[in-house]
Amino acid sequence: EVQLVQSGAEVKKPGESLKISCKGSEYSFASYWIGWVRQMPGKGLEWMGIIYPEDSDTRKSPSLQGQVTISVDKSINTAYLQWSSLRASDTAMYYCARQLGRGFDIWGQGTMVTVSS
Amino acid sequence: QSALTQPAAVSGSHGQSITISCAGASSDGGGYHYVSWYQQHPGKAPKLLIYDVNNRPSGVSNRFSGSKSGNTASLTISGLQAEDEAEYYCSSSTSSSTLGVFGTGTKVTVL
């Protein structure tokens, strides 16, 4: 079964760093763009960015420039979303998803990130 | 890129058809050409219903269909069923950019 499995929920303090992961299986991981989507509590979906595992080509939403880093290790079929200094406003559910055409057809189960002092 | 505009809520009776709109204009004036639609039930990950305006992934019911006219895209759900009650989001990107944006979301209620 084609799937994306994300790392578990995280509880962090403001200013701490964090890296969450998304591991693909049962498909040619390097050949499909992987995207990240944020959903703050009770809110809608926000398109964060995409990365192409084959060459790490990355496209990020202008509103997130400098706030998060999207990376990938194609040798282990895993994409990452990373923060160097978390803020309370980063509290959200984060989904990774595989891109089909310009849509996301396979989604991870989500990683809940809670940032609180 | 600004969020695409969707109605906050749409409702319909069991068996009826409803249409959800998704309106927006790109910053470069080129218009959004690649539209996808998602269904999200509470506490669940979104599910792709339509991609690239009117393509259905395998396994998605043909009760869901997409279309686009000018800078407004639409999702039609025919033969409304209880399990269709969910939040629906459109998403799009322009032909000149691979960056995407989601719509504001529409809550569908089955009466």
Side-chain angles (χ1 to χ4, degrees):
Chain A
E1 177 191 2
V2 174
Q3 61 179 347
L4 295 171
V5 178
Q6 298 185 230
S7 50
E10 301 275 1
V11 179
K12 293 288 189 178
K13 290 181 166 46
E16 292 185 331
S17 62
L18 176 65
K19 190 173 189 177
I20 63 175
S21 66
C22 168
K23 184 175 176 63
S25 61
E26 301 301 322
Y27 77 96
S28 180
F29 182 79
S31 301
Y32 290 80
W33 291 83
I34 290 286
W36 287 95
V37 176
R38 179 172 73 179
Q39 187 166 38
M40 300 174 76
K43 301 299 184 182
L45 304 175
E46 294 177 72
W47 198 98
M48 299 180 72
I50 52 175
I51 188 165
Y52 191 62
E54 181 60 48
D55 60 6
S56 296
D57 186 6
T58 305
R59 317 289 170 86
K60 213 158 62 173
S61 172
S63 64
L64 294 172
Q65 295 294 343
Q67 295 181 31
V68 295
T69 300
I70 296 172
S71 62
V72 68
D73 184 343
K74 68 177 181 179
S75 69
I76 55 172
N77 291 357
T78 302
Y80 302 96
L81 187 64
Q82 184 174 6
W83 295 260
S84 59
S85 181
L86 286 160
R87 302 179 289 191
S89 57
D90 293 317
T91 294
M93 180 71 81
Y94 292 88
Y95 293 101
C96 66
R98 186 184 80 166
Q99 197 170 50
L100 173 67
R102 295 286 186 95
F104 293 125
D105 66 334
I106 304 296
W107 290 69
Q109 82 276 21
T111 296
M112 184 66 208
V113 174
T114 302
V115 184
S116 174
S117 55
Chain B
Q1 291 172 298
S2 300
L4 304 169
T5 301
Q6 299 180 232
V10 172
S11 61
S13 299
H14 186 273
Q16 282 189 329
S17 294
I18 60 170
T19 297
I20 303 167
S21 61
C22 171
S26 70
S27 58
D28 63 8
Y32 289 105
H33 295 284
Y34 300 95
V35 182
S36 51
W37 289 92
Y38 303 87
Q39 175 192 64
Q40 187 180 32
H41 288 106
K44 301 292 187 181
K47 174 187 176 183
L48 180 66
L49 299 175
I50 298 289
Y51 68 98
D52 294 355
V53 180
N54 55 13
N55 294 284
R56 262 190 317 274
S58 61
V60 173
S61 171
N62 60 8
R63 297 188 298 105
F64 297 95
S65 61
S67 63
K68 185 176 178 292
S69 177
N71 280 340
T72 298
S74 298
L75 174 73
T76 297
I77 309 174
S78 58
L80 206 57
Q81 300 180 5
E83 60 261 35
D84 297 333
E85 193 159 288
E87 193 80 18
Y88 291 79
Y89 295 92
C90 63
S91 180
S92 191
S93 61
T94 70
S95 57
S96 59
S97 169
T98 54
L99 298 180
V101 62
F102 281 100
T104 50
T106 298
K107 170 65 176 171
V108 168
T109 301
V110 180
L111 304 172

